[in-house]
Amino acid sequence: MTKRKQLTWWEEGVKAGWIELYEQEMVRFLELEFGPLSDEEKLCAVFVSLFLKAGHTCLPIQEKTNLWAQDLGLDPDDIRHLPKGHVDISALQNSRIIGELYEMKPFALHQNLLSFRKVKNQEEKLLQWVAEKHKNNSVGDISKYIGDIFPEKDKKEVNWQKVAAVLSLISPFLIISGGPGTGKTTTVARLLVLHQKISDKPLKIALAAPTGKAAGRMGEALAGQLASMDLSEQELRQFPTEAKTIHRLLSGTEERGLLPPVEKKLLRYDLVIIDEASMIDLSLMHRLIRHLSPKTRIILLGDKDQLASVEAGSVFADLCQKQENGFLDETARKLWKMGVQSELPVRAQSRLDDSIVYLTKSYRFGPDTGIGALSETVKKGENDEETITGIFNEFEDLEYNGFHYQKQDFEAMIDGLIERVEAAQKLKSYEDLMVFWKESIWLSVLRRGMAGSDRLNSLVEQKIASRLLAAIENGWYQGRPVIITQNDYSLGLFNGDLGVCLKDQNGELWLYVESGAVTKKIKPGRVLHFDPAYFLTVHKSQGSEFDHVQLLLPRHDNPLMTRELIYTAITRAKQRFSLFGDLQVFTKGIDRQTRRYTGLRKALSERV
């Protein structure tokens, strides 16, 4: 009997599918350009690519190869032939494809972190830009404006909104981080008024966000805040009324073609404010800073405890490394002279940390609310099951339900949604439908699998069809909620936009999509990239808010269950949060922080 030939790790990986076509073609190209690769070179190249797809900008080459596989969530059976132990770094010293950043090689190795050279270069450019932006300006006494814009009675408690606004005058690059309801929009509105009042000319201001949905919410919320302030019509006209996506903001600066433009086009704004900055990946941040004028001030708004970007990098979280509010002594003295009449914490720290303000007071979720108490507990990493159970039992706006993943459990969940579909059938306006579907939402951790959003959305629509609840035309029917899954510039729709299907008086179906600050009316057949929105993944819900959030956990513990994901899910709820699943899976998730390997985090702690 002929002995079966044992496959190599490469052959096994290709066969199992975890070495995908991209990695196969990349290795083929590298060997065409540089000659045959050693086993170490090939292994490193494959995992750098896989790590980048998983959101990491670098590969921790000092770790064992089995830990690389674990970080990617690969099946142990698929990786049993991987080389054991560590890669011999010394064997890479004379590599033709790996070198220092200044060497024109495809991969850059720096302090045991291996990256694509292009990605490492983007991190270096961002580091250089951050360092150059921390040259504090001097501004005189502006207390007369501060008193009008930030009227306050208790000067003993530090008003971090006011601190952020005043700090934005002396710091060309400012980061403001805070959870939902901490007043980020209020801060920006007052900050804009302050900047305009001390300026001798109308300021050019740009508002932007990573997604169309986030941009729309930003513009609408900011317009509401400005309208609530004591401003004249003339003053209101000085401020922007629309926020753009970052891609749209950059659309006039980037040219395509073989040759670079003769002159680099810059965004010549006085002030650029970016909301939902935790969603910005490294590549997009690099594109943004490349096109900012040196004189432009920039402010990043976000929540450092939320999920990071879908693409590679965790720029906002990497920047927000300081643990709590505090300033260098010279900065604290400047802020006092400018009208912040509160005793600020002083500590030795970097210039970057000196330009970060955390908004810590929640005006929406106080300590007497379950959503506030639970989100704070999760954020701190407190995962004791008894403590979590006690919080659910104590507050009326929280609910815990066991879920056994049996047929009857799914049927009960689907039947509840069918009742809502029947109610949606009776609504006559798209405004009422939009409000109706935002009253309650089911969130899932996973997209695929038994408890994944894809399967559950499919089950709902199968039951709608089988019960003949609605007249269905090419899959569309009255009351159907959907989410856009890909940007469509021809229709003006963006990934994450929510929409509803409504039948008009003539019996024609129309899709109404909230995109930015406007609602688009479109024939359903023109929309190509969408999913039903009865169930959304937590990632897809980011940037949205719902009255009642119902979170369905996976049946078993999963690497995607992290503290940041759970915190994001809880804070999508405005009035009520319900949890379905095993509480042990929930507490294990709280204990697991999202781990992203980036060269930026380590370099920032060393250089800035």
Side-chain angles (χ1 to χ4, degrees):
M1 186 175 179
T2 305
K3 188 176 181 181
R4 188 175 175 184
K5 179 187 174 184
Q6 186 173 1
L7 299 178
T8 65
W9 67 267
W10 169 265
E11 292 167 332
E12 283 281 356
V14 171
K15 182 181 176 182
W18 62 266
I19 298 180
E20 299 177 356
L21 183 60
Y22 179 87
E23 284 69 41
Q24 296 172 43
E25 290 299 309
M26 176 188 68
V27 168
R28 186 178 71 84
F29 171 78
L30 289 172
E31 293 194 319
L32 282 173
E33 288 290 312
F34 300 96
L37 302 182
S38 68
D39 214 41
E40 289 88 354
E41 289 174 323
K42 188 183 292 188
L43 186 70
C44 289
V46 167
F47 272 94
V48 167
S49 178
L50 294 175
F51 263 57
L52 188 68
K53 288 180 179 178
H56 310 282
T57 66
C58 58
L59 176 72
I61 206 165
Q62 79 281 6
E63 288 194 358
K64 293 181 178 180
T65 54
N66 66 311
L67 293 179
W68 295 352
Q70 287 177 24
D71 282 326
L72 295 173
L74 297 178
D75 191 315
D77 288 337
D78 292 339
I79 59 170
R80 62 187 184 277
H81 293 297
L82 274 179
K84 301 295 187 291
H86 301 85
V87 167
D88 183 4
I89 299 179
S90 63
L92 303 175
Q93 296 300 320
N94 297 315
S95 169
R96 291 156 296 172
I97 66 169
I98 299 172
E100 296 289 337
L101 184 60
Y102 63 84
E103 297 181 85
M104 300 300 287
K105 295 182 179 181
F107 298 90
L109 177 62
H110 182 70
Q111 294 185 347
N112 294 330
L113 298 177
L114 183 63
S115 309
F116 282 113
R117 182 176 159 276
K118 177 183 176 180
V119 174
K120 181 60 180 173
N121 186 59
Q122 289 175 348
E123 290 184 332
E124 289 295 320
K125 294 287 187 184
L126 182 52
L127 281 165
Q128 182 182 350
W129 179 85
V130 168
E132 291 174 352
K133 272 291 181 182
H134 290 292
K135 298 170 183 175
N136 285 358
N137 302 321
S138 295
V139 181
D141 183 8
I142 55 169
S143 54
K144 60 180 179 179
Y145 301 119
I146 295 294
D148 292 336
I149 298 172
F150 290 94
E152 55 185 345
K153 298 174 184 177
D154 185 7
K155 292 187 178 182
K156 293 181 180 178
E157 182 183 359
V158 178
N159 182 339
W160 293 111
Q161 293 184 16
K162 180 168 73 171
V163 172
V166 177
L167 187 62
S168 71
L169 295 173
I170 62 176
S171 180
F173 175 45
L174 178 67
I175 296 172
I176 303 174
S177 176
T182 53
K184 293 191 291 292
T185 305
T186 303
T187 304
V188 170
R190 295 180 178 183
L191 178 154
L192 289 177
V193 173
L194 179 60
H195 276 259
Q196 190 59 71
K197 281 185 178 295
I198 67 169
S199 175
D200 55 3
K201 63 174 183 178
L203 296 174
K204 292 186 66 178
I205 300 166
L207 308 175
T211 67
K213 177 173 61 177
R217 289 185 63 242
M218 179 190 191
E220 191 175 1
L222 188 57
Q225 281 292 333
L226 289 168
S228 68
M229 299 178 70
D230 187 20
L231 299 172
S232 67
E233 287 294 325
Q234 183 179 354
E235 288 175 312
L236 282 173
R237 283 195 292 270
Q238 295 177 325
F239 302 108
T241 57
E242 179 191 15
K244 303 177 181 179
T245 63
I246 299 175
H247 295 84
R248 187 176 159 202
L249 186 70
L250 295 171
S251 62
T253 64
E254 298 179 324
E255 297 182 9
R256 301 189 181 278
L258 295 176
L259 297 176
V262 176
E263 182 180 354
K264 185 165 69 173
K265 294 182 179 180
L266 299 176
L267 295 168
R268 300 191 183 279
Y269 290 100
D270 298 301
L271 180 62
V272 173
I273 301 176
I274 309 291
D275 197 10
E276 295 289 355
S278 63
M279 299 167 70
I280 301 177
D281 59 87
L282 174 64
S283 176
L284 184 57
M285 189 66 190
H286 176 254
R287 287 173 57 197
L288 177 63
I289 64 170
R290 279 182 59 219
H291 294 285
L292 285 176
S293 167
K295 295 181 179 180
T296 299
R297 295 173 176 274
I298 180 169
I299 298 171
L300 299 183
L301 304 171
D303 184 348
K304 66 181 179 65
D305 298 302
Q306 278 193 22
L307 284 166
S309 59
V310 175
E311 302 298 329
S314 52
V315 175
F316 194 75
D318 287 348
L319 293 170
C320 296
Q321 291 188 43
K322 77 173 185 180
Q323 296 301 308
E324 56 188 351
N325 281 318
F327 301 97
L328 296 170
D329 181 60
E330 61 176 296
T331 304
R333 283 189 276 109
K334 275 186 182 179
L335 291 170
W336 178 276
K337 290 178 181 178
M338 292 170 66
V340 180
Q341 302 294 308
S342 300
E343 188 173 343
L344 299 176
V346 174
R347 57 177 53 90
Q349 59 188 13
S350 71
R351 283 289 180 187
L352 171 60
D353 288 342
D354 212 41
S355 298
I356 299 173
V357 178
Y358 297 145
L359 303 182
T360 55
K361 182 177 180 180
S362 177
Y363 297 89
R364 183 188 304 166
F365 304 127
D368 57 339
T369 68
I371 294 173
L374 184 61
S375 61
E376 279 299 310
T377 300
V378 169
K379 191 163 67 172
K380 293 174 183 175
E382 298 174 6
N383 68 329
D384 178 69
E385 195 168 326
E386 187 175 338
T387 300
I388 300 296
T389 302
I391 293 174
F392 273 100
N393 291 335
E394 181 180 353
F395 295 97
E396 293 185 357
D397 59 341
L398 297 178
E399 178 186 17
Y400 170 64
N401 302 275
F403 195 86
H404 304 291
Y405 305 90
Q406 302 300 314
K407 183 179 179 182
Q408 58 268 28
D409 295 306
F410 286 107
E411 285 181 344
M413 180 173 58
I414 300 300
D415 285 342
L417 277 166
I418 294 299
E419 291 179 8
R420 286 182 57 77
V421 173
E422 290 175 331
Q425 295 274 301
K426 301 172 184 175
L427 300 177
K428 303 298 183 184
S429 72
Y430 75 84
E431 294 96 340
D432 289 343
L433 266 176
M434 290 283 192
V435 171
F436 178 81
W437 286 115
K438 288 181 181 178
E439 287 174 357
S440 177
I441 191 67
W442 278 94
L443 298 183
S444 65
V445 174
L446 307 175
R447 183 179 172 187
R448 297 182 177 85
M450 179 186 292
S453 60
D454 284 354
R455 174 177 178 268
L456 297 172
N457 278 320
S458 179
L459 288 176
V460 174
E461 298 219 303
Q462 286 173 22
K463 184 153 282 192
I464 291 171
S466 66
R467 290 192 181 182
L468 300 176
L469 291 179
I472 300 176
E473 299 177 17
N474 297 318
W476 294 94
Y477 50 88
Q478 159 78 21
R480 187 189 198 192
V482 298
I483 183 169
I484 304 301
T485 57
Q486 189 172 314
N487 293 347
D488 187 331
Y489 294 100
S490 64
L491 296 178
L493 303 182
F494 297 92
N495 186 11
D497 289 345
L498 294 172
V500 291
C501 188
L502 180 70
K503 186 174 287 188
D504 66 14
Q505 294 177 342
N506 300 319
E508 276 194 89
L509 289 172
W510 292 91
L511 180 64
Y512 294 84
V513 180
E514 281 188 345
S515 186
V518 299
T519 300
K520 307 285 179 64
K521 180 182 178 182
I522 304 165
K523 289 302 292 181
R526 296 185 64 196
V527 182
L528 302 178
H529 306 286
F530 67 91
D531 284 330
Y534 299 106
F535 291 85
L536 299 179
T537 61
V538 177
H539 281 85
K540 283 291 185 186
S541 74
Q542 201 165 358
S544 298
E545 292 175 335
F546 305 90
D547 294 340
H548 181 198
V549 165
Q550 300 165 93
L551 176 63
L552 177 64
L553 300 176
R555 185 171 188 175
H556 304 293
D557 187 33
N558 187 287
L560 289 177
M561 277 288 294
T562 63
R563 184 182 306 173
E564 291 81 2
L565 181 139
I566 294 169
Y567 171 81
T568 301
I570 295 168
T571 54
R572 297 311 92 206
K574 294 196 290 186
Q575 297 176 12
R576 186 172 182 80
F577 176 78
S578 300
L579 180 68
F580 292 78
D582 187 338
L583 205 58
Q584 284 191 349
V585 173
F586 187 73
T587 55
K588 282 183 179 178
I590 295 173
D591 197 41
R592 181 188 294 116
Q593 282 189 276
T594 299
R595 180 164 64 167
R596 282 211 167 170
Y597 295 103
T598 71
L600 183 63
R601 171 173 285 270
K602 186 174 182 180
L604 280 169
S605 63
E606 294 173 349
R607 299 192 213 173
V608 179

